[in-house]
Structure formats: C-alpha cells, structure tokens
Amino acid sequence: MAALISDVSINQKPYCYNTTKAAYNYDHEQYDVPTIDYFMLFSNDPNQRSKALNYLRHVCQDYGFFYLVNHGITDNVFESVFKGISDFFDPIEVEDRRQYEKKNPTDRIRWGLRSSPGENREYLKVVAHPRFHCPPKPADFSEAMEEYFKRLREVVRGLGKAVSKTLGFEECYIEKAFNLESGFDVSAMNLYPPNFQSKGAVGVPDHTDPGFFVSLVQDVNGGLQILSNAGNWIDVYDMPPNAIFINLGDHLEILTNGKYKSHVHRVVVDNNKVKRISVATLHGPSLDTFVKPAPEFVDDSHPPAYRGATYKRSLEANGDEIDVQSSIDQLRLQVI
C-alpha cells in the first residue's frame, strides 16, 4: 500500500468545428453513457424535478459519469473556444509556447509536449478559478476562454446544488463542504496527438482526477475511454451535440465515503490518424478546504475509508497544484 499522507505531512489553417465520428479502432465495450438534462434538475414542475434528481442520484451512484445537456452554454461559446485552442496550438509557433514550460510549482499557466509510449499530447494548463489565468495570444483566445469558464462556473454551482439534493441534503451542502465559491479549478486544453510524431496509441494513461468533478468538451467524437464498474473500457463516443461529459472526482468520493465514486479513464490517439482537441476542467474545493468522509456517511457498517487532507496537500502529494494528479490511493485507508 502506498504511504499515507496527512494534512500535516503531506502556419495558421482555417479552423473547422467537427462533430463527426473519428475513426478510432481499439477494443472497447458498446455502452450507452447516461444523459442528464440540466434544465430538468431545476424544473418548475415538482414532478419533473423530482424524477430528474432521482435519475441523477442513480447515475452518480451506479455510473459516476454522464453526458450533461441543456446546460445553457451556447454553440458559439464552444466554437470560439475550439478555434482559440486550435490557433494556440499552431505547429509553426511552438517555440513561442516554450515560455510557459514548467518553471516552479506556483505556475498558473503551463505548457507541455509529451511524445512517448505512455503519453502523447500537447497541452496548455491554466488556473481558471478563483482567478482566471491565460496566455494573451493569439488574439481573442483569452476572451473566449474566460467567457467559457464564466458559463461553466454557473454549471458547477448548479450541479453542486443538484448533487446535494441527491444526497438528501439542502442545496448548499456541497457548496459549504467544498467552499466552491473559492474552488480551485484547473483546465487542461489538449491536442491529441501532438503536432509532432507520437510514439504510441496512448494519449493519457489510466487515471482518476481529484476534485468535485471534471468536465470535458471535445471537437470530435472518440478518444476518451472510461472504466466501467464491471472492469470494461467504455468509449465516450456518441456525445450529444453541445454536451459536456461529467466524471465524478476523487474528493466527492472521499466526502461521501465511497457512496459516489470517481472512475478510472484514459485517452487513446489511434496512432496519429485523427486530430482531436479537448478541454478538461477539474473543479475542486478551495485549496485550504480539509476534505474527509463526512459524518453523515460514516457509521458502524461504513467506517471511514479515506484519510482527510486539505485539497492543497492532496494535490502536492504527487506533484503540484497545477499538475492536479490524483492522490486517492495514498488517502485510502485499509478498512478491516
């Protein structure tokens, strides 16, 4: 078992928004990813709202991931985001991006290029909240991302309320437990495969993500796979138009003492056949929030299954704040 940690110790081409299927070929399970209608979670019709919340409860407990539709973020916002990212990843301008290579753990903008058998991508990571950071170039890129994150924060607040209700609590439960108003959000904008020859079929290896949940949007279908409860890889493939893929995070699992679980996922690139852009945003508690299994989820039959730590310390366990690497294995206790 890994060592436990504690709070104390521890040249510019025209851009085209493409929603067609990508020709990925790999072993996978045909599987329908659940779809949650965000609007229905707040319906004025009590019956519709109750049905939507009950379904969300079922999905969170039995799946841990879903497509989110009718969330209010428009196509124009997504199109501006993908165009901006495509412009940023211009292969001719790669040397201009090297100024954002890792310098110290306090970076709030970080660029990287990976080409190995285990990981193949070019990425830009930025802190999106509580203070937004972004490179000033290309033109309009920062404005497009800021607008996207502004709209996304509204979705985060709404899902916090809805998830709280599914757990049987008042709408403010998750907000208070994670201090979401000051929540630490990091966004990874990815190009798969990178602008240079990749060295394998893996874009990002198997992992879970820290935080409340991770939201993902992409410009083509395919690439992302998630591990089901049955131990099979599921393609996140036929995403509805304008949908956001939501995967529950490690710290929601910790808070609920395993009632709602985060799921292992990965990215495949299919040997350079398809270019794909994704935006994965990890929505976390505030850095100083101490997260442990809440008393409401602990009893004689369900003893604490995780050690508590501040969000900052849990992020630092395997990297730094902008690396946002999971440490749930180190936080997991051996329950007898």
PDB file of all heavy atoms in Angstrom, residues 43-76:
ATOM      1  N   SER A  43     -36.399  22.242 -12.887  1.00  0.00           N
ATOM      2  CA  SER A  43     -37.717  22.466 -13.466  1.00  0.00           C
ATOM      3  C   SER A  43     -38.680  23.059 -12.447  1.00  0.00           C
ATOM      4  O   SER A  43     -38.619  22.742 -11.249  1.00  0.00           O
ATOM      5  CB  SER A  43     -38.283  21.151 -14.001  1.00  0.00           C
ATOM      6  OG  SER A  43     -39.619  21.296 -14.413  1.00  0.00           O
ATOM      7  N   ASN A  44     -39.585  23.904 -12.923  1.00  0.00           N
ATOM      8  CA  ASN A  44     -40.624  24.447 -12.055  1.00  0.00           C
ATOM      9  C   ASN A  44     -41.713  23.425 -11.744  1.00  0.00           C
ATOM     10  O   ASN A  44     -42.528  23.640 -10.846  1.00  0.00           O
ATOM     11  CB  ASN A  44     -41.254  25.686 -12.709  1.00  0.00           C
ATOM     12  CG  ASN A  44     -40.289  26.857 -12.778  1.00  0.00           C
ATOM     13  OD1 ASN A  44     -39.478  27.049 -11.886  1.00  0.00           O
ATOM     14  ND2 ASN A  44     -40.376  27.639 -13.846  1.00  0.00           N
ATOM     15  N   ASP A  45     -41.695  22.337 -12.499  1.00  0.00           N
ATOM     16  CA  ASP A  45     -42.637  21.260 -12.250  1.00  0.00           C
ATOM     17  C   ASP A  45     -42.033  20.326 -11.199  1.00  0.00           C
ATOM     18  O   ASP A  45     -41.021  19.664 -11.459  1.00  0.00           O
ATOM     19  CB  ASP A  45     -42.903  20.498 -13.557  1.00  0.00           C
ATOM     20  CG  ASP A  45     -43.951  19.406 -13.412  1.00  0.00           C
ATOM     21  OD1 ASP A  45     -43.988  18.760 -12.336  1.00  0.00           O
ATOM     22  OD2 ASP A  45     -44.709  19.173 -14.370  1.00  0.00           O
ATOM     23  N   PRO A  46     -42.609  20.250 -10.010  1.00  0.00           N
ATOM     24  CA  PRO A  46     -42.019  19.424  -8.942  1.00  0.00           C
ATOM     25  C   PRO A  46     -41.843  17.967  -9.330  1.00  0.00           C
ATOM     26  O   PRO A  46     -40.853  17.335  -8.931  1.00  0.00           O
ATOM     27  CB  PRO A  46     -43.020  19.577  -7.795  1.00  0.00           C
ATOM     28  CG  PRO A  46     -43.752  20.839  -8.082  1.00  0.00           C
ATOM     29  CD  PRO A  46     -43.823  20.944  -9.573  1.00  0.00           C
ATOM     30  N   ASN A  47     -42.769  17.410 -10.105  1.00  0.00           N
ATOM     31  CA  ASN A  47     -42.661  16.017 -10.505  1.00  0.00           C
ATOM     32  C   ASN A  47     -41.486  15.795 -11.448  1.00  0.00           C
ATOM     33  O   ASN A  47     -40.738  14.816 -11.322  1.00  0.00           O
ATOM     34  CB  ASN A  47     -43.962  15.544 -11.161  1.00  0.00           C
ATOM     35  CG  ASN A  47     -45.103  15.440 -10.171  1.00  0.00           C
ATOM     36  OD1 ASN A  47     -44.881  15.150  -8.995  1.00  0.00           O
ATOM     37  ND2 ASN A  47     -46.317  15.678 -10.645  1.00  0.00           N
ATOM     38  N   GLN A  48     -41.347  16.704 -12.428  1.00  0.00           N
ATOM     39  CA  GLN A  48     -40.222  16.592 -13.352  1.00  0.00           C
ATOM     40  C   GLN A  48     -38.896  16.750 -12.611  1.00  0.00           C
ATOM     41  O   GLN A  48     -37.940  16.009 -12.854  1.00  0.00           O
ATOM     42  CB  GLN A  48     -40.339  17.643 -14.457  1.00  0.00           C
ATOM     43  CG  GLN A  48     -41.417  17.359 -15.487  1.00  0.00           C
ATOM     44  CD  GLN A  48     -41.406  18.368 -16.622  1.00  0.00           C
ATOM     45  OE1 GLN A  48     -40.990  19.515 -16.451  1.00  0.00           O
ATOM     46  NE2 GLN A  48     -41.866  17.938 -17.789  1.00  0.00           N
ATOM     47  N   ARG A  49     -38.856  17.732 -11.716  1.00  0.00           N
ATOM     48  CA  ARG A  49     -37.625  17.958 -10.959  1.00  0.00           C
ATOM     49  C   ARG A  49     -37.276  16.744 -10.099  1.00  0.00           C
ATOM     50  O   ARG A  49     -36.128  16.305 -10.034  1.00  0.00           O
ATOM     51  CB  ARG A  49     -37.762  19.201 -10.095  1.00  0.00           C
ATOM     52  CG  ARG A  49     -36.492  19.569  -9.336  1.00  0.00           C
ATOM     53  CD  ARG A  49     -36.611  20.932  -8.671  1.00  0.00           C
ATOM     54  NE  ARG A  49     -37.622  20.954  -7.623  1.00  0.00           N
ATOM     55  CZ  ARG A  49     -38.805  21.568  -7.705  1.00  0.00           C
ATOM     56  NH1 ARG A  49     -39.121  22.226  -8.813  1.00  0.00           N
ATOM     57  NH2 ARG A  49     -39.658  21.546  -6.699  1.00  0.00           N
ATOM     58  N   SER A  50     -38.259  16.174  -9.452  1.00  0.00           N
ATOM     59  CA  SER A  50     -38.020  15.003  -8.614  1.00  0.00           C
ATOM     60  C   SER A  50     -37.513  13.823  -9.436  1.00  0.00           C
ATOM     61  O   SER A  50     -36.568  13.117  -9.023  1.00  0.00           O
ATOM     62  CB  SER A  50     -39.314  14.616  -7.884  1.00  0.00           C
ATOM     63  OG  SER A  50     -39.131  13.470  -7.099  1.00  0.00           O
ATOM     64  N   LYS A  51     -38.114  13.593 -10.592  1.00  0.00           N
ATOM     65  CA  LYS A  51     -37.668  12.495 -11.458  1.00  0.00           C
ATOM     66  C   LYS A  51     -36.241  12.716 -11.932  1.00  0.00           C
ATOM     67  O   LYS A  51     -35.428  11.779 -11.967  1.00  0.00           O
ATOM     68  CB  LYS A  51     -38.601  12.350 -12.656  1.00  0.00           C
ATOM     69  CG  LYS A  51     -39.982  11.797 -12.314  1.00  0.00           C
ATOM     70  CD  LYS A  51     -40.847  11.696 -13.555  1.00  0.00           C
ATOM     71  CE  LYS A  51     -42.227  11.143 -13.229  1.00  0.00           C
ATOM     72  NZ  LYS A  51     -43.096  11.069 -14.430  1.00  0.00           N
ATOM     73  N   ALA A  52     -35.923  13.968 -12.291  1.00  0.00           N
ATOM     74  CA  ALA A  52     -34.573  14.283 -12.767  1.00  0.00           C
ATOM     75  C   ALA A  52     -33.537  14.079 -11.669  1.00  0.00           C
ATOM     76  O   ALA A  52     -32.460  13.524 -11.900  1.00  0.00           O
ATOM     77  CB  ALA A  52     -34.522  15.715 -13.300  1.00  0.00           C
ATOM     78  N   LEU A  53     -33.863  14.505 -10.445  1.00  0.00           N
ATOM     79  CA  LEU A  53     -32.932  14.335  -9.330  1.00  0.00           C
ATOM     80  C   LEU A  53     -32.765  12.866  -8.949  1.00  0.00           C
ATOM     81  O   LEU A  53     -31.663  12.414  -8.632  1.00  0.00           O
ATOM     82  CB  LEU A  53     -33.409  15.147  -8.128  1.00  0.00           C
ATOM     83  CG  LEU A  53     -33.274  16.665  -8.258  1.00  0.00           C
ATOM     84  CD1 LEU A  53     -34.010  17.366  -7.131  1.00  0.00           C
ATOM     85  CD2 LEU A  53     -31.800  17.086  -8.275  1.00  0.00           C
ATOM     86  N   ASN A  54     -33.853  12.114  -8.999  1.00  0.00           N
ATOM     87  CA  ASN A  54     -33.754  10.686  -8.715  1.00  0.00           C
ATOM     88  C   ASN A  54     -32.876   9.972  -9.739  1.00  0.00           C
ATOM     89  O   ASN A  54     -32.090   9.075  -9.395  1.00  0.00           O
ATOM     90  CB  ASN A  54     -35.147  10.047  -8.687  1.00  0.00           C
ATOM     91  CG  ASN A  54     -35.910  10.373  -7.428  1.00  0.00           C
ATOM     92  OD1 ASN A  54     -35.310  10.659  -6.389  1.00  0.00           O
ATOM     93  ND2 ASN A  54     -37.233  10.337  -7.509  1.00  0.00           N
ATOM     94  N   TYR A  55     -33.015  10.386 -10.998  1.00  0.00           N
ATOM     95  CA  TYR A  55     -32.186   9.779 -12.035  1.00  0.00           C
ATOM     96  C   TYR A  55     -30.719  10.173 -11.845  1.00  0.00           C
ATOM     97  O   TYR A  55     -29.818   9.337 -11.992  1.00  0.00           O
ATOM     98  CB  TYR A  55     -32.680  10.202 -13.420  1.00  0.00           C
ATOM     99  CG  TYR A  55     -31.928   9.526 -14.553  1.00  0.00           C
ATOM    100  CD1 TYR A  55     -31.888   8.131 -14.652  1.00  0.00           C
ATOM    101  CD2 TYR A  55     -31.256  10.273 -15.521  1.00  0.00           C
ATOM    102  CE1 TYR A  55     -31.205   7.506 -15.671  1.00  0.00           C
ATOM    103  CE2 TYR A  55     -30.566   9.657 -16.553  1.00  0.00           C
ATOM    104  CZ  TYR A  55     -30.539   8.271 -16.621  1.00  0.00           C
ATOM    105  OH  TYR A  55     -29.849   7.647 -17.636  1.00  0.00           O
ATOM    106  N   LEU A  56     -30.469  11.429 -11.476  1.00  0.00           N
ATOM    107  CA  LEU A  56     -29.099  11.865 -11.211  1.00  0.00           C
ATOM    108  C   LEU A  56     -28.503  11.071 -10.051  1.00  0.00           C
ATOM    109  O   LEU A  56     -27.326  10.678 -10.093  1.00  0.00           O
ATOM    110  CB  LEU A  56     -29.065  13.362 -10.913  1.00  0.00           C
ATOM    111  CG  LEU A  56     -27.687  13.947 -10.564  1.00  0.00           C
ATOM    112  CD1 LEU A  56     -26.708  13.779 -11.727  1.00  0.00           C
ATOM    113  CD2 LEU A  56     -27.803  15.418 -10.169  1.00  0.00           C
ATOM    114  N   ARG A  57     -29.308  10.827  -9.032  1.00  0.00           N
ATOM    115  CA  ARG A  57     -28.835  10.022  -7.901  1.00  0.00           C
ATOM    116  C   ARG A  57     -28.411   8.621  -8.367  1.00  0.00           C
ATOM    117  O   ARG A  57     -27.339   8.115  -8.003  1.00  0.00           O
ATOM    118  CB  ARG A  57     -29.915   9.919  -6.839  1.00  0.00           C
ATOM    119  CG  ARG A  57     -29.525   9.076  -5.623  1.00  0.00           C
ATOM    120  CD  ARG A  57     -30.675   8.907  -4.653  1.00  0.00           C
ATOM    121  NE  ARG A  57     -31.114  10.192  -4.130  1.00  0.00           N
ATOM    122  CZ  ARG A  57     -32.263  10.778  -4.449  1.00  0.00           C
ATOM    123  NH1 ARG A  57     -33.108  10.190  -5.315  1.00  0.00           N
ATOM    124  NH2 ARG A  57     -32.597  11.935  -3.936  1.00  0.00           N
ATOM    125  N   HIS A  58     -29.264   8.011  -9.170  1.00  0.00           N
ATOM    126  CA  HIS A  58     -28.969   6.686  -9.713  1.00  0.00           C
ATOM    127  C   HIS A  58     -27.686   6.706 -10.541  1.00  0.00           C
ATOM    128  O   HIS A  58     -26.814   5.819 -10.401  1.00  0.00           O
ATOM    129  CB  HIS A  58     -30.152   6.222 -10.557  1.00  0.00           C
ATOM    130  CG  HIS A  58     -29.834   5.174 -11.575  1.00  0.00           C
ATOM    131  ND1 HIS A  58     -29.415   3.896 -11.242  1.00  0.00           N
ATOM    132  CD2 HIS A  58     -29.857   5.218 -12.945  1.00  0.00           C
ATOM    133  CE1 HIS A  58     -29.198   3.198 -12.352  1.00  0.00           C
ATOM    134  NE2 HIS A  58     -29.459   3.978 -13.388  1.00  0.00           N
ATOM    135  N   VAL A  59     -27.530   7.708 -11.384  1.00  0.00           N
ATOM    136  CA  VAL A  59     -26.361   7.797 -12.261  1.00  0.00           C
ATOM    137  C   VAL A  59     -25.087   8.025 -11.450  1.00  0.00           C
ATOM    138  O   VAL A  59     -24.050   7.391 -11.698  1.00  0.00           O
ATOM    139  CB  VAL A  59     -26.561   8.913 -13.306  1.00  0.00           C
ATOM    140  CG1 VAL A  59     -25.257   9.231 -14.034  1.00  0.00           C
ATOM    141  CG2 VAL A  59     -27.636   8.512 -14.310  1.00  0.00           C
ATOM    142  N   CYS A  60     -25.151   8.904 -10.463  1.00  0.00           N
ATOM    143  CA  CYS A  60     -23.967   9.168  -9.636  1.00  0.00           C
ATOM    144  C   CYS A  60     -23.539   7.928  -8.860  1.00  0.00           C
ATOM    145  O   CYS A  60     -22.341   7.645  -8.725  1.00  0.00           O
ATOM    146  CB  CYS A  60     -24.243  10.315  -8.671  1.00  0.00           C
ATOM    147  SG  CYS A  60     -24.294  11.953  -9.436  1.00  0.00           S
ATOM    148  N   GLN A  61     -24.495   7.189  -8.371  1.00  0.00           N
ATOM    149  CA  GLN A  61     -24.172   6.042  -7.537  1.00  0.00           C
ATOM    150  C   GLN A  61     -23.793   4.810  -8.359  1.00  0.00           C
ATOM    151  O   GLN A  61     -22.886   4.070  -7.978  1.00  0.00           O
ATOM    152  CB  GLN A  61     -25.349   5.701  -6.631  1.00  0.00           C
ATOM    153  CG  GLN A  61     -25.029   4.639  -5.592  1.00  0.00           C
ATOM    154  CD  GLN A  61     -25.970   4.659  -4.417  1.00  0.00           C
ATOM    155  OE1 GLN A  61     -26.838   5.520  -4.315  1.00  0.00           O
ATOM    156  NE2 GLN A  61     -25.801   3.724  -3.505  1.00  0.00           N
ATOM    157  N   ASP A  62     -24.451   4.589  -9.480  1.00  0.00           N
ATOM    158  CA  ASP A  62     -24.233   3.363 -10.247  1.00  0.00           C
ATOM    159  C   ASP A  62     -23.316   3.521 -11.453  1.00  0.00           C
ATOM    160  O   ASP A  62     -22.857   2.516 -12.015  1.00  0.00           O
ATOM    161  CB  ASP A  62     -25.569   2.795 -10.710  1.00  0.00           C
ATOM    162  CG  ASP A  62     -26.445   2.358  -9.549  1.00  0.00           C
ATOM    163  OD1 ASP A  62     -25.911   2.150  -8.448  1.00  0.00           O
ATOM    164  OD2 ASP A  62     -27.671   2.232  -9.738  1.00  0.00           O
ATOM    165  N   TYR A  63     -23.048   4.759 -11.867  1.00  0.00           N
ATOM    166  CA  TYR A  63     -22.173   5.009 -13.008  1.00  0.00           C
ATOM    167  C   TYR A  63     -20.979   5.885 -12.618  1.00  0.00           C
ATOM    168  O   TYR A  63     -19.836   5.485 -12.769  1.00  0.00           O
ATOM    169  CB  TYR A  63     -22.935   5.671 -14.162  1.00  0.00           C
ATOM    170  CG  TYR A  63     -23.986   4.804 -14.791  1.00  0.00           C
ATOM    171  CD1 TYR A  63     -25.259   4.687 -14.231  1.00  0.00           C
ATOM    172  CD2 TYR A  63     -23.718   4.105 -15.960  1.00  0.00           C
ATOM    173  CE1 TYR A  63     -26.228   3.885 -14.806  1.00  0.00           C
ATOM    174  CE2 TYR A  63     -24.681   3.299 -16.558  1.00  0.00           C
ATOM    175  CZ  TYR A  63     -25.935   3.188 -15.963  1.00  0.00           C
ATOM    176  OH  TYR A  63     -26.892   2.396 -16.542  1.00  0.00           O
ATOM    177  N   GLY A  64     -21.254   7.099 -12.163  1.00  0.00           N
ATOM    178  CA  GLY A  64     -20.184   8.028 -11.817  1.00  0.00           C
ATOM    179  C   GLY A  64     -19.759   8.922 -12.957  1.00  0.00           C
ATOM    180  O   GLY A  64     -18.798   9.689 -12.830  1.00  0.00           O
ATOM    181  N   PHE A  65     -20.468   8.868 -14.067  1.00  0.00           N
ATOM    182  CA  PHE A  65     -20.157   9.692 -15.234  1.00  0.00           C
ATOM    183  C   PHE A  65     -21.412   9.814 -16.078  1.00  0.00           C
ATOM    184  O   PHE A  65     -22.281   8.941 -16.047  1.00  0.00           O
ATOM    185  CB  PHE A  65     -19.017   9.093 -16.057  1.00  0.00           C
ATOM    186  CG  PHE A  65     -19.221   7.636 -16.404  1.00  0.00           C
ATOM    187  CD1 PHE A  65     -19.894   7.263 -17.557  1.00  0.00           C
ATOM    188  CD2 PHE A  65     -18.738   6.642 -15.570  1.00  0.00           C
ATOM    189  CE1 PHE A  65     -20.095   5.927 -17.884  1.00  0.00           C
ATOM    190  CE2 PHE A  65     -18.926   5.294 -15.885  1.00  0.00           C
ATOM    191  CZ  PHE A  65     -19.606   4.931 -17.034  1.00  0.00           C
ATOM    192  N   PHE A  66     -21.493  10.912 -16.853  1.00  0.00           N
ATOM    193  CA  PHE A  66     -22.678  11.134 -17.671  1.00  0.00           C
ATOM    194  C   PHE A  66     -22.452  12.276 -18.639  1.00  0.00           C
ATOM    195  O   PHE A  66     -21.531  13.085 -18.469  1.00  0.00           O
ATOM    196  CB  PHE A  66     -23.906  11.435 -16.792  1.00  0.00           C
ATOM    197  CG  PHE A  66     -23.720  12.550 -15.799  1.00  0.00           C
ATOM    198  CD1 PHE A  66     -24.000  13.883 -16.124  1.00  0.00           C
ATOM    199  CD2 PHE A  66     -23.282  12.282 -14.505  1.00  0.00           C
ATOM    200  CE1 PHE A  66     -23.846  14.901 -15.203  1.00  0.00           C
ATOM    201  CE2 PHE A  66     -23.127  13.297 -13.565  1.00  0.00           C
ATOM    202  CZ  PHE A  66     -23.407  14.611 -13.920  1.00  0.00           C
ATOM    203  N   TYR A  67     -23.308  12.321 -19.685  1.00  0.00           N
ATOM    204  CA  TYR A  67     -23.380  13.484 -20.554  1.00  0.00           C
ATOM    205  C   TYR A  67     -24.339  14.486 -19.932  1.00  0.00           C
ATOM    206  O   TYR A  67     -25.409  14.110 -19.441  1.00  0.00           O
ATOM    207  CB  TYR A  67     -23.912  13.102 -21.938  1.00  0.00           C
ATOM    208  CG  TYR A  67     -23.078  12.112 -22.709  1.00  0.00           C
ATOM    209  CD1 TYR A  67     -23.683  11.048 -23.393  1.00  0.00           C
ATOM    210  CD2 TYR A  67     -21.690  12.236 -22.792  1.00  0.00           C
ATOM    211  CE1 TYR A  67     -22.932  10.140 -24.122  1.00  0.00           C
ATOM    212  CE2 TYR A  67     -20.936  11.328 -23.515  1.00  0.00           C
ATOM    213  CZ  TYR A  67     -21.557  10.278 -24.174  1.00  0.00           C
ATOM    214  OH  TYR A  67     -20.815   9.379 -24.896  1.00  0.00           O
ATOM    215  N   LEU A  68     -23.971  15.750 -19.974  1.00  0.00           N
ATOM    216  CA  LEU A  68     -24.827  16.823 -19.474  1.00  0.00           C
ATOM    217  C   LEU A  68     -25.295  17.663 -20.653  1.00  0.00           C
ATOM    218  O   LEU A  68     -24.483  18.205 -21.394  1.00  0.00           O
ATOM    219  CB  LEU A  68     -24.071  17.697 -18.479  1.00  0.00           C
ATOM    220  CG  LEU A  68     -24.903  18.737 -17.725  1.00  0.00           C
ATOM    221  CD1 LEU A  68     -25.854  18.051 -16.749  1.00  0.00           C
ATOM    222  CD2 LEU A  68     -24.002  19.715 -16.980  1.00  0.00           C
ATOM    223  N   VAL A  69     -26.603  17.764 -20.829  1.00  0.00           N
ATOM    224  CA  VAL A  69     -27.189  18.538 -21.926  1.00  0.00           C
ATOM    225  C   VAL A  69     -28.092  19.621 -21.357  1.00  0.00           C
ATOM    226  O   VAL A  69     -28.415  19.637 -20.171  1.00  0.00           O
ATOM    227  CB  VAL A  69     -27.982  17.632 -22.896  1.00  0.00           C
ATOM    228  CG1 VAL A  69     -27.063  16.585 -23.530  1.00  0.00           C
ATOM    229  CG2 VAL A  69     -29.153  16.960 -22.184  1.00  0.00           C
ATOM    230  N   ASN A  70     -28.499  20.552 -22.223  1.00  0.00           N
ATOM    231  CA  ASN A  70     -29.369  21.668 -21.824  1.00  0.00           C
ATOM    232  C   ASN A  70     -28.799  22.445 -20.646  1.00  0.00           C
ATOM    233  O   ASN A  70     -29.515  22.850 -19.728  1.00  0.00           O
ATOM    234  CB  ASN A  70     -30.783  21.175 -21.490  1.00  0.00           C
ATOM    235  CG  ASN A  70     -31.536  20.710 -22.708  1.00  0.00           C
ATOM    236  OD1 ASN A  70     -31.215  21.080 -23.835  1.00  0.00           O
ATOM    237  ND2 ASN A  70     -32.550  19.880 -22.498  1.00  0.00           N
ATOM    238  N   HIS A  71     -27.502  22.689 -20.702  1.00  0.00           N
ATOM    239  CA  HIS A  71     -26.792  23.374 -19.619  1.00  0.00           C
ATOM    240  C   HIS A  71     -26.694  24.874 -19.823  1.00  0.00           C
ATOM    241  O   HIS A  71     -26.229  25.585 -18.933  1.00  0.00           O
ATOM    242  CB  HIS A  71     -25.386  22.800 -19.472  1.00  0.00           C
ATOM    243  CG  HIS A  71     -24.710  22.588 -20.796  1.00  0.00           C
ATOM    244  ND1 HIS A  71     -24.322  23.623 -21.609  1.00  0.00           N
ATOM    245  CD2 HIS A  71     -24.401  21.438 -21.454  1.00  0.00           C
ATOM    246  CE1 HIS A  71     -23.777  23.128 -22.714  1.00  0.00           C
ATOM    247  NE2 HIS A  71     -23.817  21.798 -22.653  1.00  0.00           N
ATOM    248  N   GLY A  72     -27.079  25.377 -20.995  1.00  0.00           N
ATOM    249  CA  GLY A  72     -27.121  26.815 -21.225  1.00  0.00           C
ATOM    250  C   GLY A  72     -25.899  27.407 -21.886  1.00  0.00           C
ATOM    251  O   GLY A  72     -25.905  28.597 -22.228  1.00  0.00           O
ATOM    252  N   ILE A  73     -24.839  26.652 -22.089  1.00  0.00           N
ATOM    253  CA  ILE A  73     -23.656  27.160 -22.796  1.00  0.00           C
ATOM    254  C   ILE A  73     -23.887  26.980 -24.290  1.00  0.00           C
ATOM    255  O   ILE A  73     -24.159  25.868 -24.750  1.00  0.00           O
ATOM    256  CB  ILE A  73     -22.379  26.436 -22.359  1.00  0.00           C
ATOM    257  CG1 ILE A  73     -22.204  26.533 -20.846  1.00  0.00           C
ATOM    258  CG2 ILE A  73     -21.157  27.026 -23.068  1.00  0.00           C
ATOM    259  CD1 ILE A  73     -20.976  25.807 -20.310  1.00  0.00           C
ATOM    260  N   THR A  74     -23.787  28.056 -25.040  1.00  0.00           N
ATOM    261  CA  THR A  74     -24.194  28.038 -26.444  1.00  0.00           C
ATOM    262  C   THR A  74     -23.114  27.466 -27.359  1.00  0.00           C
ATOM    263  O   THR A  74     -21.923  27.391 -27.009  1.00  0.00           O
ATOM    264  CB  THR A  74     -24.535  29.457 -26.926  1.00  0.00           C
ATOM    265  OG1 THR A  74     -23.345  30.260 -26.917  1.00  0.00           O
ATOM    266  CG2 THR A  74     -25.593  30.098 -26.027  1.00  0.00           C
ATOM    267  N   ASP A  75     -23.554  27.085 -28.566  1.00  0.00           N
ATOM    268  CA  ASP A  75     -22.624  26.603 -29.587  1.00  0.00           C
ATOM    269  C   ASP A  75     -21.555  27.637 -29.898  1.00  0.00           C
ATOM    270  O   ASP A  75     -20.391  27.290 -30.121  1.00  0.00           O
ATOM    271  CB  ASP A  75     -23.377  26.263 -30.879  1.00  0.00           C
ATOM    272  CG  ASP A  75     -24.183  24.977 -30.775  1.00  0.00           C
ATOM    273  OD1 ASP A  75     -23.864  24.159 -29.895  1.00  0.00           O
ATOM    274  OD2 ASP A  75     -25.123  24.802 -31.567  1.00  0.00           O
ATOM    275  N   ASN A  76     -21.935  28.913 -29.936  1.00  0.00           N
ATOM    276  CA  ASN A  76     -20.972  29.965 -30.246  1.00  0.00           C
ATOM    277  C   ASN A  76     -19.824  30.003 -29.246  1.00  0.00           C
ATOM    278  O   ASN A  76     -18.668  30.238 -29.611  1.00  0.00           O
ATOM    279  CB  ASN A  76     -21.665  31.330 -30.282  1.00  0.00           C
ATOM    280  CG  ASN A  76     -22.555  31.510 -31.495  1.00  0.00           C
ATOM    281  OD1 ASN A  76     -22.397  30.801 -32.503  1.00  0.00           O
ATOM    282  ND2 ASN A  76     -23.492  32.440 -31.416  1.00  0.00           N
TER     283      ASN A  76
END
